[in-house]
Amino acid sequence: MTVSYFLSPEWMIDGTGSPCRKNAAIGIQGETIVSIVDSTEIREKSQDDSFPRIVDLRGFTVLPCLVDSHVHLVMSGSNDPEVRERQLVSGYSEAGDRIQHHLQEHFRYGVLALRDGGDRHGYTLRYRDNLSGPSRSPYVSAVFAGKAWHREGRYGGLIGRVPLKSKGIAESVAREGDQSDVIKVVNSGLNSLREFGKQTLPQFGFQEFKDLWNMARRLEKKVMVHANGIEPVSIPVDAGCDSIEHGFFMGRENLEKMAEKGIFWVPTAVTMEAYSRLMKDDAKISDIARRNLDHQLEQIRIARECGVRTAMGTDAGSPGVDHGKAVIEEMKLFMDAGYSLEEAVMCATSAGADLLGFTEIGQLKPGMNAGFLVVPGPPSKLPDSLESIQMIWRNGKMVYEKCAVTPDPSGDQNHRMDE
Ligand SMILES: [Zn+2]
């Protein structure tokens, strides 16, 4: 296939976890990547007038657009109880504006695909269905859980509702039809910030999950399960699900089973880092949050070791976890837990894309959508360099540029940044 132009970055991270590649040139035709070659090859030929245009990105790193696999768009990262309460009870017009604003924040940090883990009123679905065209953030693809499912009297009311009385969860999901993009089930409580490692009982049993899993297959929907603790995780893992969300204190055995069954894990470790930061005036709570985080990082290390597919998800909208920005913090935590930069990028790109079902994004290779982030400097500046993204490309077009580059009469070094 003919190439209309090449992007020629100094460094490229392709989203597969492979080591960063130097001097690659990405050939683009229309909305698609059609080739990836060595830039020395094309620079030699580029003297020829008929040769495709080369966008010279020396001094920059190119990586795929990011995917945040767990957010709550109706909530902000504010820790002010009054603000949070207002956000929980606000009507759609306010919530819709907030959703829009948070999508823009994701875009700003290069998150161009995300999965929303649920909201109490189903406003995210209303947003999805009501807005189209330019008023909706045009470059961020999203899948929405709408209202999550939880057991009556148990945790989950902030993000969902209970199954119909006298009907099981599977039947309730079936009656709802096509509304949600993904099914979200809450199967444990929250992590205690008063007692380290305290586990809660599961909300649904093995048979309920089995029935739900069969129903979900029939509806062609994925199932994401909020679960902390050994038993709340093992039940959906045994019965069938696509991903475990949070998974604090789930233990090695569950991780090994998840690796074997190809079930994704979205650890949302940054939530505990945020609590330990926000609660610093209460030494006990702050300390437990920190220990929860350390335990989770140890589990992430085990997950990497036994081959669990981990996808980056921040739980943005939790106290202290800001939309967009939090992905940088979560990537750093993955690296603290032993992931290389390229592997952390993989979790925030191709793994998330696979989990969310976006087949054209997440990797830089022929056939994929020509969507990229261009960040200043070498890969060693990542993930912090996501704070100052230079360009964003989607569907073969540049959709964001930080500032216009002024032509430098001295030659082609005008893009060069300090290393
Ligand atoms: Zn969540």
Side-chain angles (χ1 to χ4, degrees), residues 100 103 127-129 131-140 142 144:
Q100 176 77 6
L103 286 170
Y127 177 86
R128 176 197 65 188
D129 297 341
L131 283 181
S132 58
S135 53
R136 180 168 170 180
S137 183
Y139 305 116
V140 181
F144 296 109

Side-chain angles (χ1 to χ4, degrees), residues 70 72 184 246 315:
H70 191 132
H72 298 276
K184 166 81 179 283
H246 321 302
D315 216 0

Side-chain angles (χ1 to χ4, degrees), residues 149-161:
W149 298 94
H150 71 98
R151 173 78 73 200
E152 189 158 20
R154 293 289 309 275
Y155 168 74
L158 296 182
I159 55 167
R161 45 46 211 283

Side-chain angles (χ1 to χ4, degrees), residues 301-360:
R301 194 169 292 122
I302 297 169
R304 179 176 176 272
E305 199 182 280
C306 53
V308 180
R309 289 204 78 188
T310 43
M312 194 91 44
T314 59
D315 216 0
S318 285
V321 186
D322 292 326
H323 289 275
K325 193 178 168 69
V327 101
I328 297 177
E329 293 157 36
E330 187 73 7
M331 282 171 85
K332 285 184 183 169
L333 292 174
F334 270 57
M335 289 164 74
D336 288 347
Y339 281 65
S340 67
L341 170 70
E342 288 89 343
E343 289 167 342
V345 168
M346 170 184 73
C347 297
T349 56
S350 62
D354 283 355
L355 173 58
L356 273 55
F358 293 123
T359 54
E360 290 186 342

Side-chain angles (χ1 to χ4, degrees), residues 72 74-75 84-85 87-89 116-123 146-151 154-162 184 186 190 226 275 317-319:
H72 298 276
V74 298
M75 300 296 289
R84 296 195 70 78
E85 181 57 27
Q87 292 183 353
L88 276 170
V89 299
D116 190 281
D119 69 293
R120 179 191 242 180
H121 304 286
Y123 288 153
K147 296 176 190 170
W149 298 94
H150 71 98
R151 173 78 73 200
R154 293 289 309 275
Y155 168 74
L158 296 182
I159 55 167
R161 45 46 211 283
V162 299
K184 166 81 179 283
V186 181
L190 291 172
H226 162 120
Y275 276 122
S318 285

Side-chain angles (χ1 to χ4, degrees), residues 69-70 115 225 227-229 233 237 241-251 254-255 258-259 262-269 292-293 295-313 330 334 337 339 347 351-352 355:
S69 294
H70 191 132
R115 184 178 59 165
V225 184
N228 296 309
V233 170
V237 164
C241 66
D242 294 284
S243 65
I244 294 295
E245 311 295 313
H246 321 302
F248 285 82
F249 304 106
M250 69 164 122
N254 275 320
L255 285 165
M258 286 164 68
I263 295 172
F264 279 86
W265 181 31
V266 184
T268 66
N292 287 348
L293 172 64
H295 190 273
Q296 188 74 329
L297 295 186
E298 181 55 30
Q299 290 200 136
I300 295 174
R301 194 169 292 122
I302 297 169
R304 179 176 176 272
E305 199 182 280
C306 53
V308 180
R309 289 204 78 188
T310 43
M312 194 91 44
E330 187 73 7
F334 270 57
Y339 281 65
C347 297
L355 173 58

Side-chain angles (χ1 to χ4, degrees), residues 148-149 169 183-187 204 209 212 223-227:
W149 298 94
I169 184 170
I183 300 163
K184 166 81 179 283
V185 186
V186 181
N187 200 40
F204 298 97
F209 267 107
L212 175 68
V223 178
M224 61 189 289
V225 184
H226 162 120

